[in-house]
Amino acid sequence: MKLETSHMRYLTAEDFNVLEGTERGSANHEIVPTPLIYKLSTMMKSQGGTNRTISDLAKLNLITKVRNAKYDGYKLTYKGMDYLALRTLLANDIIYSIGAIFGVGKESDIYKVSTITGETRVMKLHRLGRTSFQTVKNNRDYLKKNDLMGTNWMYLSKIAAGKEYEFLSILYENGFNVPQPFFVTRHALVMELIDGFPMRNLRRHNFKNRSLDKLYTDLMNFIVKLAKNGLIHCDYNEFNIMIKNNVDKDDIDELGFIVIDFPQAISIDHKDAEYYFKRDVDCIKRFFKKKLKYVPNRDESWLDESGFGEGYKYPYPIFHRDIKERVNDLDAQLNASGFNKKHPSEVNKEMEGYLINLRGEKAEIYTSDDEEDYSDSDYEQHTDDSEESSDYYSSDDGYESESDDENERIIEALSSGVEGLKMDKMGNYILE
Ligand code: ADP
Ligand code: MG
């Protein structure tokens, strides 16, 4: 979905007041009854004036009229939520102007924005629901169990942005190499722009062997350090690891990296923690082996347990062996998913259903007593489940399919409230 801001500057304070009123009403009404909009649009003096504003907003597709069995009302559209988020960002001097879109993630659009002092930042607009359609198609049986029917994607996008902001904040404060977060409002998160490129664009000829060893070890150490602090990323792969551009172009031995994309992270107390941990490790192993033709050498005489890979006792970390002692409880501090599983609120349940889907849930819990052996069969065996990892559905992989197109149209329809959007028995959206 495009970020279309052309009308933004023509909107009056009254327009925004009614837009906000509709937004407030959405908190407990799927379709906000018109009288409730009157009530919540505090600035508006007359119903006639409010009605005119409502119809202006509907014309601009910021809200959309919906009828249900009992009453007529309005729904905020994605575009309406974009406008509200942008207005808040502008009003709080978080951003000054919006630049080009430069990334389309599996569940988000990424824009360059600039501050009043001319710094460039990144704005991530969460747009949930996109790839879930894909997953729905790929994994019908699974979704019967985790019914996404009637999921309020806009609402969940807000929760995802909030979660990501919380994750980034606590990780940044604790010295992890993640982008510095600046602000979150609704589904929009503003963070530091990483001067770099996704690891998926790295090729072997890009660097010397020594830096490969080091990058591999550093990436594995990151997973371990994160887990010892209480968290598992759950989508730790070459799309979500940014390689920093070197300040010194000749110094290719220092490949710094930054880890992004956190909303689906979980606690190490999550019941499937071991599985997700292994999958994150496997993603790195697979990328290094397949794309970089790199498998760390082994030597019996290496006994150093302070890292993984070449020169160290173990080639890669294993959850039950390497994550014994905690050094921190960031998960508890965050109340990360899986931590407070005894009393999940309704919100958490709905979000959890979605996040399970986003993580690319497995069929069964991985239970093998993993061998230290870095054998090929072990490696290949888990290639497939790593492919489940959600960023593998990413369209920036140059992967386009008919169903992607259809998903795009469905998302468009969802956000603009086009009629003829139905759901089948399985919970798939279908366009008539
Ligand atoms: P999604 O959850 O949709 O996968 P990501 O957070 O992974 O979204 O972002 C999508 C892409 O946008 C990334 O692969 C990366 O190329 C780019 N990107 C995201 N955040 C930043 C950032 N802070 N700095 C630079 N590029 C970024
Ligand atoms: Mg991503």
Side-chain angles (χ1 to χ4, degrees), residues 339-351:
F339 178 72
N340 192 12
K341 56 193 166 216
K342 280 190 192 127
H343 305 287
S345 68
E346 281 308 307
V347 172
N348 284 337
K349 250 194 255 168
E350 196 178 6
M351 190 62 194

Side-chain angles (χ1 to χ4, degrees), residues 28 33 55 80 105 177 213 317 422:
N28 41 22
S55 82
N177 37 344
D213 287 336
K422 294 252 166 72

